[in-house]
Amino acid sequence: MKKRGLPLELALLPIVESGFDPLAYSPGDASGLWQLTAPTAMSFGVKTNWWYDGRRDVASSTKAALDLMEYLYAKMDQNWLYSIAAYNSGEGRIFNAIKHNQARGKSTDFWSLSLPRETAHYVPQLLALADVIKHADKYGINLIPIDNSPQIEVVNIESQLDMNLAADLAQIDINDLKAINPGLKRWATAPQGPHQLIVPSDKAASFKRALATIEPDSRINWVRYKIKSGDNINKIADQFETSAPLIRSSNGIKGNNIIAGRFLIIPVAAKDPDLASMTADQVLARRAVVKSSSNKQSYTIKSGDSLWKVAQSQQVTIAQLMKWNNLKKQSTLTIGKSLVIYPNEVVASTASNEKTVNYRVQSGDSLARIALKYKVTVAELIEWNSLQNSKLIQPGQILKLIVTNS
């Protein structure tokens, strides 16, 4: 705003609009910090699609909101009170109110206009808020100073990128990355852009270096899916939590015709490095999880606890604990803190189609070799057997495998 020469009080407008919540949504279909409607956002170049909502993107929506403010200021005879009111209710309504007063010989200053109750309160709210901030001491309010230095950086990532991979490259928690990229609605950035990601300023340089080492075709994961009778592209897209247009573009398909027995390459989300070697059915089975929030339980961490010990005592897996609590294997458990547990979470598959196999490790065996033999993944072997060292197995050791009956 300072660069544009706009009143800095306008920076407080998102408090009135959304309480600075980028995920705020109104019954009138307005969304984001600045509560832009879809038509307004589109008029000012903000993209919105299945993958991305620019109204919730802090950088994109702010640029659009300021463009709108400049447009309204020029249209409203450079009157900021009119412009702010028009931001709330539309320029047409303000013009009509002005014309109404002119026709009756009344004053046309903002305070004399007949406006909807919300708009009549909207401008005073902003002015009052600005006054409270400016004279905080007078009102007995202690405002904590914030350093006027960059906290985030918008990075050009050039192509679609899996969010979990991005979090690993930036060395930040996935939930923190999502929090500063609220415009991203799915597991990856939008395939057709905008190809940008917001990261903390102190992580930006290392993130860009790490990203440069990743090949473009390794930025998202893929599985090979055999088309079944009755399938259609939209159904397959729903199954794999992706979009029909992305399946079409990834496979060179223009229409909706697909043929049973042929294969599709499907982009999917997963941190699992073994995903590319998994069958599509394994991916779907892994995602078909039934979780009941009413069955949610809490476990308080005690001295000496580890993920392995908690998993054993609660009869769940380390992988489940990590997923439910957004943990990594190297995460430190804090005594007295709570872990969320869903003891009845099950994979939704037919028990009669699966069997448990106890396998004795032979000399020369590796997890990868065993996984290949039984058509499972290394990650599943680690999860089923709560292996703390994912690469270390010993001859004679018994491993549990869950395999599908042929």
mmCIF file with all atom_site columns, all heavy atoms in Angstrom, residues 274-293:
data_model
loop_
_atom_site.group_PDB
_atom_site.id
_atom_site.type_symbol
_atom_site.label_atom_id
_atom_site.label_alt_id
_atom_site.label_comp_id
_atom_site.label_asym_id
_atom_site.label_entity_id
_atom_site.label_seq_id
_atom_site.pdbx_PDB_ins_code
_atom_site.Cartn_x
_atom_site.Cartn_y
_atom_site.Cartn_z
_atom_site.occupancy
_atom_site.B_iso_or_equiv
_atom_site.pdbx_formal_charge
_atom_site.auth_seq_id
_atom_site.auth_comp_id
_atom_site.auth_asym_id
_atom_site.auth_atom_id
_atom_site.pdbx_PDB_model_num
ATOM 1   N N   . ASP A 1 274 ? 7.877   -45.316 -2.188 1.00 0.00 ? 274 ASP A N   1
ATOM 2   C CA  . ASP A 1 274 ? 7.608   -46.551 -2.920 1.00 0.00 ? 274 ASP A CA  1
ATOM 3   C C   . ASP A 1 274 ? 6.336   -46.463 -3.747 1.00 0.00 ? 274 ASP A C   1
ATOM 4   O O   . ASP A 1 274 ? 5.959   -47.435 -4.400 1.00 0.00 ? 274 ASP A O   1
ATOM 5   C CB  . ASP A 1 274 ? 7.472   -47.730 -1.938 1.00 0.00 ? 274 ASP A CB  1
ATOM 6   C CG  . ASP A 1 274 ? 8.747   -47.955 -1.165 1.00 0.00 ? 274 ASP A CG  1
ATOM 7   O OD1 . ASP A 1 274 ? 9.797   -48.116 -1.816 1.00 0.00 ? 274 ASP A OD1 1
ATOM 8   O OD2 . ASP A 1 274 ? 8.709   -47.959 0.066  1.00 0.00 ? 274 ASP A OD2 1
ATOM 9   N N   . LEU A 1 275 ? 5.671   -45.314 -3.715 1.00 0.00 ? 275 LEU A N   1
ATOM 10  C CA  . LEU A 1 275 ? 4.364   -45.205 -4.366 1.00 0.00 ? 275 LEU A CA  1
ATOM 11  C C   . LEU A 1 275 ? 4.422   -45.557 -5.848 1.00 0.00 ? 275 LEU A C   1
ATOM 12  O O   . LEU A 1 275 ? 3.525   -46.213 -6.366 1.00 0.00 ? 275 LEU A O   1
ATOM 13  C CB  . LEU A 1 275 ? 3.817   -43.792 -4.198 1.00 0.00 ? 275 LEU A CB  1
ATOM 14  C CG  . LEU A 1 275 ? 2.380   -43.624 -4.699 1.00 0.00 ? 275 LEU A CG  1
ATOM 15  C CD1 . LEU A 1 275 ? 1.421   -44.308 -3.752 1.00 0.00 ? 275 LEU A CD1 1
ATOM 16  C CD2 . LEU A 1 275 ? 2.016   -42.171 -4.846 1.00 0.00 ? 275 LEU A CD2 1
ATOM 17  N N   . ALA A 1 276 ? 5.476   -45.136 -6.508 1.00 0.00 ? 276 ALA A N   1
ATOM 18  C CA  . ALA A 1 276 ? 5.561   -45.365 -7.952 1.00 0.00 ? 276 ALA A CA  1
ATOM 19  C C   . ALA A 1 276 ? 5.572   -46.845 -8.300 1.00 0.00 ? 276 ALA A C   1
ATOM 20  O O   . ALA A 1 276 ? 5.171   -47.237 -9.389 1.00 0.00 ? 276 ALA A O   1
ATOM 21  C CB  . ALA A 1 276 ? 6.802   -44.685 -8.520 1.00 0.00 ? 276 ALA A CB  1
ATOM 22  N N   . SER A 1 277 ? 6.028   -47.677 -7.355 1.00 0.00 ? 277 SER A N   1
ATOM 23  C CA  . SER A 1 277 ? 6.088   -49.115 -7.629 1.00 0.00 ? 277 SER A CA  1
ATOM 24  C C   . SER A 1 277 ? 4.831   -49.842 -7.192 1.00 0.00 ? 277 SER A C   1
ATOM 25  O O   . SER A 1 277 ? 4.685   -51.037 -7.408 1.00 0.00 ? 277 SER A O   1
ATOM 26  C CB  . SER A 1 277 ? 7.307   -49.735 -6.918 1.00 0.00 ? 277 SER A CB  1
ATOM 27  O OG  . SER A 1 277 ? 7.148   -49.627 -5.508 1.00 0.00 ? 277 SER A OG  1
ATOM 28  N N   . MET A 1 278 ? 3.885   -49.127 -6.573 1.00 0.00 ? 278 MET A N   1
ATOM 29  C CA  . MET A 1 278 ? 2.668   -49.760 -6.098 1.00 0.00 ? 278 MET A CA  1
ATOM 30  C C   . MET A 1 278 ? 1.659   -49.919 -7.227 1.00 0.00 ? 278 MET A C   1
ATOM 31  O O   . MET A 1 278 ? 1.648   -49.151 -8.181 1.00 0.00 ? 278 MET A O   1
ATOM 32  C CB  . MET A 1 278 ? 2.025   -48.921 -4.982 1.00 0.00 ? 278 MET A CB  1
ATOM 33  C CG  . MET A 1 278 ? 2.821   -48.875 -3.694 1.00 0.00 ? 278 MET A CG  1
ATOM 34  S SD  . MET A 1 278 ? 2.141   -47.688 -2.524 1.00 0.00 ? 278 MET A SD  1
ATOM 35  C CE  . MET A 1 278 ? 0.539   -48.418 -2.226 1.00 0.00 ? 278 MET A CE  1
ATOM 36  N N   . THR A 1 279 ? 0.804   -50.913 -7.089 1.00 0.00 ? 279 THR A N   1
ATOM 37  C CA  . THR A 1 279 ? -0.302  -51.050 -8.034 1.00 0.00 ? 279 THR A CA  1
ATOM 38  C C   . THR A 1 279 ? -1.368  -50.034 -7.656 1.00 0.00 ? 279 THR A C   1
ATOM 39  O O   . THR A 1 279 ? -1.442  -49.568 -6.515 1.00 0.00 ? 279 THR A O   1
ATOM 40  C CB  . THR A 1 279 ? -0.909  -52.453 -7.979 1.00 0.00 ? 279 THR A CB  1
ATOM 41  O OG1 . THR A 1 279 ? -1.547  -52.638 -6.698 1.00 0.00 ? 279 THR A OG1 1
ATOM 42  C CG2 . THR A 1 279 ? 0.153   -53.524 -8.171 1.00 0.00 ? 279 THR A CG2 1
ATOM 43  N N   . ALA A 1 280 ? -2.215  -49.701 -8.616 1.00 0.00 ? 280 ALA A N   1
ATOM 44  C CA  . ALA A 1 280 ? -3.290  -48.747 -8.345 1.00 0.00 ? 280 ALA A CA  1
ATOM 45  C C   . ALA A 1 280 ? -4.220  -49.270 -7.261 1.00 0.00 ? 280 ALA A C   1
ATOM 46  O O   . ALA A 1 280 ? -4.718  -48.516 -6.431 1.00 0.00 ? 280 ALA A O   1
ATOM 47  C CB  . ALA A 1 280 ? -4.071  -48.467 -9.623 1.00 0.00 ? 280 ALA A CB  1
ATOM 48  N N   . ASP A 1 281 ? -4.468  -50.583 -7.247 1.00 0.00 ? 281 ASP A N   1
ATOM 49  C CA  . ASP A 1 281 ? -5.350  -51.165 -6.237 1.00 0.00 ? 281 ASP A CA  1
ATOM 50  C C   . ASP A 1 281 ? -4.762  -51.003 -4.837 1.00 0.00 ? 281 ASP A C   1
ATOM 51  O O   . ASP A 1 281 ? -5.489  -50.774 -3.862 1.00 0.00 ? 281 ASP A O   1
ATOM 52  C CB  . ASP A 1 281 ? -5.601  -52.644 -6.524 1.00 0.00 ? 281 ASP A CB  1
ATOM 53  C CG  . ASP A 1 281 ? -6.529  -52.843 -7.713 1.00 0.00 ? 281 ASP A CG  1
ATOM 54  O OD1 . ASP A 1 281 ? -7.259  -51.883 -8.048 1.00 0.00 ? 281 ASP A OD1 1
ATOM 55  O OD2 . ASP A 1 281 ? -6.523  -53.928 -8.297 1.00 0.00 ? 281 ASP A OD2 1
ATOM 56  N N   . GLN A 1 282 ? -3.437  -51.113 -4.721 1.00 0.00 ? 282 GLN A N   1
ATOM 57  C CA  . GLN A 1 282 ? -2.809  -50.921 -3.423 1.00 0.00 ? 282 GLN A CA  1
ATOM 58  C C   . GLN A 1 282 ? -2.957  -49.475 -2.948 1.00 0.00 ? 282 GLN A C   1
ATOM 59  O O   . GLN A 1 282 ? -3.202  -49.215 -1.777 1.00 0.00 ? 282 GLN A O   1
ATOM 60  C CB  . GLN A 1 282 ? -1.320  -51.288 -3.494 1.00 0.00 ? 282 GLN A CB  1
ATOM 61  C CG  . GLN A 1 282 ? -1.065  -52.792 -3.523 1.00 0.00 ? 282 GLN A CG  1
ATOM 62  C CD  . GLN A 1 282 ? 0.389   -53.109 -3.752 1.00 0.00 ? 282 GLN A CD  1
ATOM 63  O OE1 . GLN A 1 282 ? 1.041   -52.478 -4.575 1.00 0.00 ? 282 GLN A OE1 1
ATOM 64  N NE2 . GLN A 1 282 ? 0.912   -54.077 -3.026 1.00 0.00 ? 282 GLN A NE2 1
ATOM 65  N N   . VAL A 1 283 ? -2.824  -48.546 -3.885 1.00 0.00 ? 283 VAL A N   1
ATOM 66  C CA  . VAL A 1 283 ? -2.982  -47.137 -3.539 1.00 0.00 ? 283 VAL A CA  1
ATOM 67  C C   . VAL A 1 283 ? -4.400  -46.870 -3.048 1.00 0.00 ? 283 VAL A C   1
ATOM 68  O O   . VAL A 1 283 ? -4.625  -46.217 -2.029 1.00 0.00 ? 283 VAL A O   1
ATOM 69  C CB  . VAL A 1 283 ? -2.662  -46.230 -4.744 1.00 0.00 ? 283 VAL A CB  1
ATOM 70  C CG1 . VAL A 1 283 ? -2.957  -44.769 -4.409 1.00 0.00 ? 283 VAL A CG1 1
ATOM 71  C CG2 . VAL A 1 283 ? -1.206  -46.386 -5.149 1.00 0.00 ? 283 VAL A CG2 1
ATOM 72  N N   . LEU A 1 284 ? -5.384  -47.394 -3.773 1.00 0.00 ? 284 LEU A N   1
ATOM 73  C CA  . LEU A 1 284 ? -6.780  -47.181 -3.404 1.00 0.00 ? 284 LEU A CA  1
ATOM 74  C C   . LEU A 1 284 ? -7.096  -47.828 -2.070 1.00 0.00 ? 284 LEU A C   1
ATOM 75  O O   . LEU A 1 284 ? -7.805  -47.260 -1.234 1.00 0.00 ? 284 LEU A O   1
ATOM 76  C CB  . LEU A 1 284 ? -7.704  -47.728 -4.492 1.00 0.00 ? 284 LEU A CB  1
ATOM 77  C CG  . LEU A 1 284 ? -7.712  -46.953 -5.815 1.00 0.00 ? 284 LEU A CG  1
ATOM 78  C CD1 . LEU A 1 284 ? -8.601  -47.662 -6.829 1.00 0.00 ? 284 LEU A CD1 1
ATOM 79  C CD2 . LEU A 1 284 ? -8.189  -45.530 -5.609 1.00 0.00 ? 284 LEU A CD2 1
ATOM 80  N N   . ALA A 1 285 ? -6.576  -49.042 -1.841 1.00 0.00 ? 285 ALA A N   1
ATOM 81  C CA  . ALA A 1 285 ? -6.835  -49.732 -0.580 1.00 0.00 ? 285 ALA A CA  1
ATOM 82  C C   . ALA A 1 285 ? -6.246  -48.960 0.589  1.00 0.00 ? 285 ALA A C   1
ATOM 83  O O   . ALA A 1 285 ? -6.837  -48.856 1.654  1.00 0.00 ? 285 ALA A O   1
ATOM 84  C CB  . ALA A 1 285 ? -6.248  -51.143 -0.621 1.00 0.00 ? 285 ALA A CB  1
ATOM 85  N N   . ARG A 1 286 ? -5.089  -48.384 0.353  1.00 0.00 ? 286 ARG A N   1
ATOM 86  C CA  . ARG A 1 286 ? -4.426  -47.627 1.413  1.00 0.00 ? 286 ARG A CA  1
ATOM 87  C C   . ARG A 1 286 ? -5.240  -46.386 1.759  1.00 0.00 ? 286 ARG A C   1
ATOM 88  O O   . ARG A 1 286 ? -5.254  -45.924 2.895  1.00 0.00 ? 286 ARG A O   1
ATOM 89  C CB  . ARG A 1 286 ? -3.029  -47.230 0.947  1.00 0.00 ? 286 ARG A CB  1
ATOM 90  C CG  . ARG A 1 286 ? -2.248  -46.458 1.993  1.00 0.00 ? 286 ARG A CG  1
ATOM 91  C CD  . ARG A 1 286 ? -0.822  -46.218 1.564  1.00 0.00 ? 286 ARG A CD  1
ATOM 92  N NE  . ARG A 1 286 ? -0.033  -47.415 1.671  1.00 0.00 ? 286 ARG A NE  1
ATOM 93  C CZ  . ARG A 1 286 ? 1.297   -47.443 1.627  1.00 0.00 ? 286 ARG A CZ  1
ATOM 94  N NH1 . ARG A 1 286 ? 1.950   -46.323 1.481  1.00 0.00 ? 286 ARG A NH1 1
ATOM 95  N NH2 . ARG A 1 286 ? 1.964   -48.569 1.713  1.00 0.00 ? 286 ARG A NH2 1
ATOM 96  N N   . ARG A 1 287 ? -5.941  -45.838 0.772  1.00 0.00 ? 287 ARG A N   1
ATOM 97  C CA  . ARG A 1 287 ? -6.720  -44.615 1.004  1.00 0.00 ? 287 ARG A CA  1
ATOM 98  C C   . ARG A 1 287 ? -8.116  -44.905 1.537  1.00 0.00 ? 287 ARG A C   1
ATOM 99  O O   . ARG A 1 287 ? -8.774  -44.023 2.049  1.00 0.00 ? 287 ARG A O   1
ATOM 100 C CB  . ARG A 1 287 ? -6.846  -43.841 -0.299 1.00 0.00 ? 287 ARG A CB  1
ATOM 101 C CG  . ARG A 1 287 ? -5.541  -43.186 -0.654 1.00 0.00 ? 287 ARG A CG  1
ATOM 102 C CD  . ARG A 1 287 ? -5.729  -42.225 -1.763 1.00 0.00 ? 287 ARG A CD  1
ATOM 103 N NE  . ARG A 1 287 ? -4.475  -41.519 -1.965 1.00 0.00 ? 287 ARG A NE  1
ATOM 104 C CZ  . ARG A 1 287 ? -4.144  -40.903 -3.049 1.00 0.00 ? 287 ARG A CZ  1
ATOM 105 N NH1 . ARG A 1 287 ? -4.977  -40.870 -4.042 1.00 0.00 ? 287 ARG A NH1 1
ATOM 106 N NH2 . ARG A 1 287 ? -2.999  -40.290 -3.161 1.00 0.00 ? 287 ARG A NH2 1
ATOM 107 N N   . ALA A 1 288 ? -8.589  -46.140 1.362  1.00 0.00 ? 288 ALA A N   1
ATOM 108 C CA  . ALA A 1 288 ? -9.955  -46.456 1.782  1.00 0.00 ? 288 ALA A CA  1
ATOM 109 C C   . ALA A 1 288 ? -9.990  -46.681 3.281  1.00 0.00 ? 288 ALA A C   1
ATOM 110 O O   . ALA A 1 288 ? -10.083 -47.792 3.772  1.00 0.00 ? 288 ALA A O   1
ATOM 111 C CB  . ALA A 1 288 ? -10.459 -47.699 1.046  1.00 0.00 ? 288 ALA A CB  1
ATOM 112 N N   . VAL A 1 289 ? -9.859  -45.607 4.026  1.00 0.00 ? 289 VAL A N   1
ATOM 113 C CA  . VAL A 1 289 ? -9.768  -45.694 5.475  1.00 0.00 ? 289 VAL A CA  1
ATOM 114 C C   . VAL A 1 289 ? -11.072 -45.216 6.108  1.00 0.00 ? 289 VAL A C   1
ATOM 115 O O   . VAL A 1 289 ? -11.627 -44.203 5.712  1.00 0.00 ? 289 VAL A O   1
ATOM 116 C CB  . VAL A 1 289 ? -8.587  -44.838 5.984  1.00 0.00 ? 289 VAL A CB  1
ATOM 117 C CG1 . VAL A 1 289 ? -8.602  -44.751 7.490  1.00 0.00 ? 289 VAL A CG1 1
ATOM 118 C CG2 . VAL A 1 289 ? -7.286  -45.432 5.497  1.00 0.00 ? 289 VAL A CG2 1
ATOM 119 N N   . VAL A 1 290 ? -11.549 -45.962 7.071  1.00 0.00 ? 290 VAL A N   1
ATOM 120 C CA  . VAL A 1 290 ? -12.756 -45.582 7.791  1.00 0.00 ? 290 VAL A CA  1
ATOM 121 C C   . VAL A 1 290 ? -12.344 -45.081 9.170  1.00 0.00 ? 290 VAL A C   1
ATOM 122 O O   . VAL A 1 290 ? -11.726 -45.812 9.932  1.00 0.00 ? 290 VAL A O   1
ATOM 123 C CB  . VAL A 1 290 ? -13.713 -46.788 7.936  1.00 0.00 ? 290 VAL A CB  1
ATOM 124 C CG1 . VAL A 1 290 ? -14.938 -46.394 8.728  1.00 0.00 ? 290 VAL A CG1 1
ATOM 125 C CG2 . VAL A 1 290 ? -14.087 -47.314 6.562  1.00 0.00 ? 290 VAL A CG2 1
ATOM 126 N N   . LYS A 1 291 ? -12.673 -43.820 9.451  1.00 0.00 ? 291 LYS A N   1
ATOM 127 C CA  . LYS A 1 291 ? -12.300 -43.238 10.735 1.00 0.00 ? 291 LYS A CA  1
ATOM 128 C C   . LYS A 1 291 ? -13.537 -42.625 11.380 1.00 0.00 ? 291 LYS A C   1
ATOM 129 O O   . LYS A 1 291 ? -14.232 -41.864 10.753 1.00 0.00 ? 291 LYS A O   1
ATOM 130 C CB  . LYS A 1 291 ? -11.233 -42.165 10.547 1.00 0.00 ? 291 LYS A CB  1
ATOM 131 C CG  . LYS A 1 291 ? -10.748 -41.556 11.845 1.00 0.00 ? 291 LYS A CG  1
ATOM 132 C CD  . LYS A 1 291 ? -9.881  -40.349 11.603 1.00 0.00 ? 291 LYS A CD  1
ATOM 133 C CE  . LYS A 1 291 ? -8.607  -40.708 10.923 1.00 0.00 ? 291 LYS A CE  1
ATOM 134 N NZ  . LYS A 1 291 ? -7.745  -39.521 10.745 1.00 0.00 ? 291 LYS A NZ  1
ATOM 135 N N   . SER A 1 292 ? -13.778 -42.954 12.628 1.00 0.00 ? 292 SER A N   1
ATOM 136 C CA  . SER A 1 292 ? -14.930 -42.400 13.332 1.00 0.00 ? 292 SER A CA  1
ATOM 137 C C   . SER A 1 292 ? -14.443 -41.396 14.363 1.00 0.00 ? 292 SER A C   1
ATOM 138 O O   . SER A 1 292 ? -13.703 -41.747 15.277 1.00 0.00 ? 292 SER A O   1
ATOM 139 C CB  . SER A 1 292 ? -15.716 -43.517 14.032 1.00 0.00 ? 292 SER A CB  1
ATOM 140 O OG  . SER A 1 292 ? -16.675 -42.964 14.904 1.00 0.00 ? 292 SER A OG  1
ATOM 141 N N   . SER A 1 293 ? -14.851 -40.124 14.196 1.00 0.00 ? 293 SER A N   1
ATOM 142 C CA  . SER A 1 293 ? -14.411 -39.098 15.136 1.00 0.00 ? 293 SER A CA  1
ATOM 143 C C   . SER A 1 293 ? -14.945 -39.371 16.537 1.00 0.00 ? 293 SER A C   1
ATOM 144 O O   . SER A 1 293 ? -14.356 -38.961 17.530 1.00 0.00 ? 293 SER A O   1
ATOM 145 C CB  . SER A 1 293 ? -14.860 -37.719 14.666 1.00 0.00 ? 293 SER A CB  1
ATOM 146 O OG  . SER A 1 293 ? -16.261 -37.670 14.539 1.00 0.00 ? 293 SER A OG  1
#
